[in-house]
């Protein structure tokens, strides 16, 4: 039977000390906000105090990593606990006085920030030296559970202290918790082999070399930084959204507490699961953070937003112990503090950017726009046949370009253009061709939603003109409107082939799943086979959008016919954790040069962010698996990623 990590005396001491100090730390943010606001009445004063702690922490984290590797991490942690205890006790005494001075509080916060820069990199080496390899996941999960419990209890403890004894006592409690942690560390014994004396620059370079040597590590750090930036956006704009759209401040309190519950639950789950690919599983769990962002932007009902926050933070709670365990097992012991210091640095550095930029973007464009920018899209191709969503008009193309910071281009929807033509029945075919040519002159593609209107079983032959004129007459007598007659639909499809051939444009076709007004089996792209074969001499590229659950059929058409391409589209957003499996199935047949990425996002900025994050996670997982199996080299994987993410679209749409 595998022993419990807490039966190991060294880890037990570490666990108790970390749990107590984390609980003390969790009570401080709320107490600090209340204390500084009471003393100064200024949000700028609070920002100053927070900045005094954050800036030195960020600047000195890499140095802290060097110190943690060069010296005994136990002694480093013990020393920093004593320094932080002193800093928090001084702040507490200052707040308990008659007139607390902002300068004194800011200086003590700066000292605490410096100490934390040296303390944080020691956490992972201490676990690695007190727990055997097979027990580390469970040990890290226990520490994560303690952190979740502290975050759940900390605000309540802060409230109790603030309103019964004063905010200064929260800092006194935190200082006492660091003293207890330091006392426990004096009893801890670990084996440490000092590194050979070298320059600080060389030690920093060696740590960074370890980071760069593992693609899974540095790419994950970028993802973690994006998460922290998005979290800062939520923390900045979320309280305002809750206050103005969700019924009051109580909604934000509920979201905060739900996040703590989720963090605790995720840590408990991590202790029981053993994913075959832990880094991938953890990063996919982290992507669940898109759910509360989406809930706040809609805004969703409070219970749904609370549930989304719980699930998202459970993803973080699951990632943390899994990630720590993999890092502790994969990196040499003598570099662990430096490696984790770079992890902390890249993760934490994104948060100030989110804090600073979110309010500016919100003031300029509203609280939804920062999420559009977070998607990181360079170019957006927009189907202008869709003009509204959920009763709200969509942004015009120039405003969307300003909001996203991307280059925006139009895709003309074929059926929407045809529905505007009111010429007589005899003139209708020529009028449709003229209207489409005019509309598409400045566009990058034409798109058909034939799958919605009748299905994709388009005949290889062009409809007879007599039948088209008769159908046009019936359509016009019926008051025009939505185009549903199969004869007219097939006629305008072939008209689009002619126009696209003349303008050198691709023709997009919706395939696979979509809205409820679509009959799914009629959207199977293989139904287009005869049409594809007949249209091939025109040379017009046909782009099959979405495809799911017929994505393998779309991939086969792209492999079999030189003019056919396939685009993942909204499949990435809807298949969730299975996006890697779907991408892998598409790449079974689809040539690397004929698979494209898009989000199919509209309306909600979160859809742009979720679509891009899902695609990146899925493609990274597929390519990492190929490399692990020896199917391709890292350089080949990078080339394929560049092709699918952007290169193929740039070439196909002549961008």
């Amino acid at each position: 039977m595998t022993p419990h990590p807490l039966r190991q005396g060294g880890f037990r001491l570490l666990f108790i000390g970390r749990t107590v100090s984390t609980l003390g730390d969790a009570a401080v943010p709320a107490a600090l906000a209340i204390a500084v606001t009471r003393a100064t009445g200024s949000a700028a004063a609070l920002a100053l105090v927070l900045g005094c702690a954050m800036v030195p922490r960020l600047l000195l984290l890499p140095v802290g990593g060097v110190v943690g590797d060069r010296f005994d991490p136990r002694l480093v942690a013990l020393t920093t606990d004593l320094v932080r205890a002193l800093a928090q006790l001084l702040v507490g005494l200052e707040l308990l006085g008659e007139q607390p001075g902002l300068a004194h509080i800011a200086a003590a916060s700066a000292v605490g920030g410096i100490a934390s820069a040296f303390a944080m990199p020691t956490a992972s080496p201490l676990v690695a030296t007190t727990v055997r390899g097979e027990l580390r996941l469970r040990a890290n999960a226990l520490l994560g559970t303690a952190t979740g419990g502290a975050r759940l209890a900390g605000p309540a403890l802060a409230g109790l202290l603030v309103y019964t004894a004063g905010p200064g006592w929260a800092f006194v409690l935190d200082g006492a918790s660091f003293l207890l942690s330091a006392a426990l560390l004096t009893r801890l014994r670990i084996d440490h082999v000092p590194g050979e004396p070298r320059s600080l620059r060389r030690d920093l370079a060696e740590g960074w070399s370890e980071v760069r040597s593992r693609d899974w590590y540095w790419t994950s750090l970028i993802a973690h930084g994006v998460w922290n930036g998005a979290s800062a956006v939520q923390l900045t704009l979320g309280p305002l959204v809750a206050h103005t759209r969700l019924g009051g401040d109580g909604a934000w309190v509920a979201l905060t507490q739900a996040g703590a519950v989720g963090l605790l639950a995720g840590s408990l789950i991590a202790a029981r699961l053993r994913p075959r690919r832990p880094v991938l599983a953890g990063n996919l769990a982290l992507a669940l953070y898109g759910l509360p962002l989406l809930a706040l932007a809609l805004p969703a009902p409070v219970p749904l937003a609370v549930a989304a926050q719980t699930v998202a933070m459970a993803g973080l709670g699951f990632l943390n112990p899994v990630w720590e365990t993999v890092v502790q097992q994969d990196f040499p012991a003598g570099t662990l503090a430096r490696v984790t210091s770079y992890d902390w640095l890249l993760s934490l550095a994104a948060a100030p950017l989110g804090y600073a930029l979110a309010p500016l973007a919100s003031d300029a464009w509203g609280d939804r726009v920062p999420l559009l920018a977070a998607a990181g899209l360079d170019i957006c191709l927009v189907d202008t046949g869709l003009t509204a969503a959920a009763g709200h008009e969509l942004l015009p193309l120039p405003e969307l370009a300003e909001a996203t910071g991307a280059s925006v281009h139009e895709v003309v929807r074929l059926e929407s253009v045809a529905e505007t033509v009111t010429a007589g029945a005899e003139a209708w075919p020529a009028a449709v061709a003229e209207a489409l040519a005019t509309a598409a002159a400045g566009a990058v593609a034409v798109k058909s939603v034939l799958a919605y209107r009748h299905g994709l079983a388009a005949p290889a032959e062009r409809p007879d003109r007599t039948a088209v004129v008769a159908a046009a007459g019936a359509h016009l007598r019926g008051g025009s409107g939505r185009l549903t007659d199969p004869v007219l639909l097939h006629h305008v499809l072939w008209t689009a082939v002619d126009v696209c051939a003349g303008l050198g444009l691709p023709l997009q076709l919706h395939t696979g799943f979509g809205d409820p007004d679509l009959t799914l089996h009629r959207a199977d792209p293989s139904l287009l086979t005869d049409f594809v074969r007949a249209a091939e001499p025109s040379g017009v590229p046909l782009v099959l959008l979405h495809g799911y659950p017929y994505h393998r059929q779309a991939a086969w058409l792209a492999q079999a016919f030189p003019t056919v391409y396939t685009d993942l589209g909204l499949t990435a957003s809807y298949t969730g954790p299975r996006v890697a499996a779907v991408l892998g199935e598409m790449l079974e047949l689809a040539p690397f040069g004929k698979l494209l990425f898009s989000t199919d996002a509209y309306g909600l900025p979160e859809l742009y962010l979720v679509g891009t994050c899902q695609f990146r996670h899925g493609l990274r997982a597929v390519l990492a698996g190929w490399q692990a199996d020896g199917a391709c080299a890292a350089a080949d994987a990078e080339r394929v990623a560049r092709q699918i993410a952007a290169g193929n679209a740039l070439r196909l749409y002549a961008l």
Side-chain angles (χ1 to χ4, degrees):
M1 182 176 178
T2 304
H4 196 281
L6 288 176
R7 293 185 179 275
Q8 301 188 24
F11 178 72
R12 185 165 61 248
L13 292 170
L14 181 65
F15 175 79
I16 295 171
R18 288 270 296 273
T19 300
V20 172
S21 61
T22 301
L23 178 60
D25 263 355
V28 163
L32 178 65
I34 293 171
V36 174
T37 303
R38 283 182 180 178
T40 66
S42 169
L46 178 59
L48 172 65
V49 173
L50 294 174
C52 284
M54 176 64 77
V55 172
R57 181 184 299 142
L58 288 176
L59 292 177
L60 293 174
L61 262 170
V63 179
V66 171
V67 171
D69 281 333
R70 186 178 295 182
F71 301 101
D72 184 345
R74 180 189 70 89
L75 291 176
V76 176
L78 192 157
T79 303
T80 56
D81 275 354
L82 292 174
V83 173
R84 288 188 288 179
L86 179 61
Q88 296 299 69
L89 289 171
L90 288 175
V91 172
L93 293 174
E94 187 76 24
L95 293 175
L96 292 173
E98 292 291 331
Q99 292 183 328
L102 180 63
H104 295 162
I105 296 173
S109 294
V111 171
I114 293 171
S116 67
F118 290 85
M120 291 162 69
T122 66
S124 203
L126 285 173
V127 173
T129 53
T130 56
V131 183
R132 297 200 310 269
E134 68 273 13
L135 297 180
R136 283 178 189 162
L137 178 57
R138 195 168 185 184
N140 285 313
L142 282 170
L143 290 169
T145 302
T147 300
R151 289 184 62 167
L152 187 61
L157 179 60
L160 178 65
L161 290 170
V162 166
Y163 292 108
T164 59
W169 285 103
F171 289 86
V172 172
L173 174 66
D174 195 24
S177 73
F178 281 122
L179 287 175
L180 176 59
S181 176
L184 292 169
L185 285 171
T186 62
R187 299 181 57 193
L188 181 63
R189 295 291 179 266
I190 63 172
D191 294 325
H192 174 70
V193 179
E196 60 183 58
R198 289 183 299 190
S199 68
L200 174 64
R201 181 177 179 181
R202 184 175 174 185
D203 275 341
L204 289 171
E206 183 182 69
W208 184 245
S209 177
E210 288 288 339
V211 171
R212 291 185 58 193
S213 67
R214 293 161 174 82
D215 288 344
W216 64 268
Y217 190 75
W218 67 261
T219 54
S220 294
L221 295 191
I222 295 173
H224 299 171
V226 170
W227 187 97
N228 278 279
S231 174
V233 170
Q234 190 207 41
L235 290 173
T236 306
L237 302 181
L240 177 63
V241 173
H243 180 78
T244 58
R245 301 186 193 174
L246 297 180
D249 297 335
W252 182 247
V253 174
L255 283 168
T256 303
Q257 290 300 94
V261 171
L263 193 69
L264 179 62
S267 299
L268 292 171
I269 293 170
R272 300 179 181 277
L273 292 183
R274 296 292 189 275
R276 186 171 64 89
R277 300 178 65 182
V279 174
L280 173 62
N283 284 334
L284 289 176
L286 199 65
L288 294 171
Y289 199 68
L291 297 176
L293 296 178
L294 180 61
L296 286 172
L298 287 172
V302 173
L304 188 57
V306 167
Q309 183 75 4
T310 305
V311 171
M313 294 305 290
L316 177 64
F318 175 79
L319 168 77
N320 283 337
V322 169
W323 175 258
E324 291 288 345
T325 303
V326 173
V327 170
Q328 290 158 10
Q329 292 173 347
D330 199 69
F331 286 93
T335 64
L336 203 50
R338 280 169 288 173
V339 166
T340 54
S341 74
Y342 286 118
D343 184 353
W344 279 111
L345 177 64
L346 293 177
S347 295
L348 293 180
L353 286 175
Y355 292 138
L357 297 179
L360 297 176
S362 179
D363 288 343
W365 302 300
D367 52 25
R368 299 181 179 185
V369 169
L371 298 166
L372 284 172
L377 298 171
D378 291 326
I379 299 174
C380 293
L381 310 186
V382 181
D383 172 8
T384 52
L386 187 66
T387 58
H392 299 281
E393 290 188 7
L394 300 180
L395 290 177
L397 298 190
E399 292 184 27
L400 181 62
E402 184 179 3
T404 59
S407 173
V408 175
H409 304 272
E410 182 181 12
V411 174
V412 172
R413 184 177 292 192
L414 167 62
E415 290 79 9
S416 297
V417 173
E419 287 163 357
T420 66
V421 175
T422 57
E426 285 288 340
W428 194 85
V432 167
E434 182 180 355
L436 182 59
T438 300
V444 296
V446 174
K447 176 182 175 181
S448 171
V449 290
L450 177 66
Y452 280 96
R453 303 301 179 86
H454 180 70
L456 294 177
E461 302 81 16
R462 296 171 181 257
D464 177 74
R465 174 177 168 78
T466 302
V468 172
V469 170
H475 172 68
L476 295 169
R477 288 192 298 273
S480 299
R482 184 178 173 90
L483 201 65
T484 57
D485 187 290
V487 172
L488 298 184
L489 289 169
H490 296 151
H491 171 75
V492 298
L493 182 64
W494 277 105
T495 300
V497 171
D498 296 337
V499 170
C500 288
L503 296 175
L505 299 179
L507 174 59
Q508 299 178 343
L509 295 106
H510 180 108
T511 68
F513 75 132
D515 296 328
D517 57 334
L518 177 145
T519 302
L520 185 59
H521 72 273
R522 294 180 178 176
D524 182 341
S526 64
L527 296 173
L528 288 166
T529 303
D530 290 342
F531 169 76
V532 168
R533 192 176 285 116
E536 186 177 333
S538 71
V540 172
L542 304 176
V543 186
L544 309 181
L545 304 175
H546 321 309
Y548 188 83
Y550 306 110
H551 50 285
R552 278 176 157 157
Q553 285 90 322
W556 171 76
L557 287 167
Q559 180 270 330
F561 294 95
T563 57
V564 176
Y565 296 75
T566 184
D567 186 316
L568 187 67
L570 80 166
T571 300
S573 298
Y574 277 79
T575 50
R578 294 287 296 168
V579 62
V582 174
L583 256 173
E585 290 172 350
M586 295 182 78
L587 286 168
E588 290 170 354
L589 284 178
F592 298 145
K594 301 182 78 176
L595 176 60
L596 287 76
F597 154 71
S598 68
T599 65
D600 196 57
Y602 66 92
L604 295 175
E606 286 79 3
L607 297 180
Y608 293 81
L609 180 60
V610 171
T612 52
C613 288
Q614 277 285 97
F615 166 77
R616 289 167 184 156
H617 280 303
L619 187 59
R620 182 189 300 123
V622 171
L623 296 177
W626 289 358
Q627 291 179 74
D629 293 339
C632 72
D636 297 323
E638 181 178 351
R639 178 177 58 82
V640 171
R642 290 182 182 278
Q643 280 184 276
I644 298 173
N648 294 337
L650 293 173
R651 183 181 70 256
L652 179 64
Y653 296 108
L655 298 171

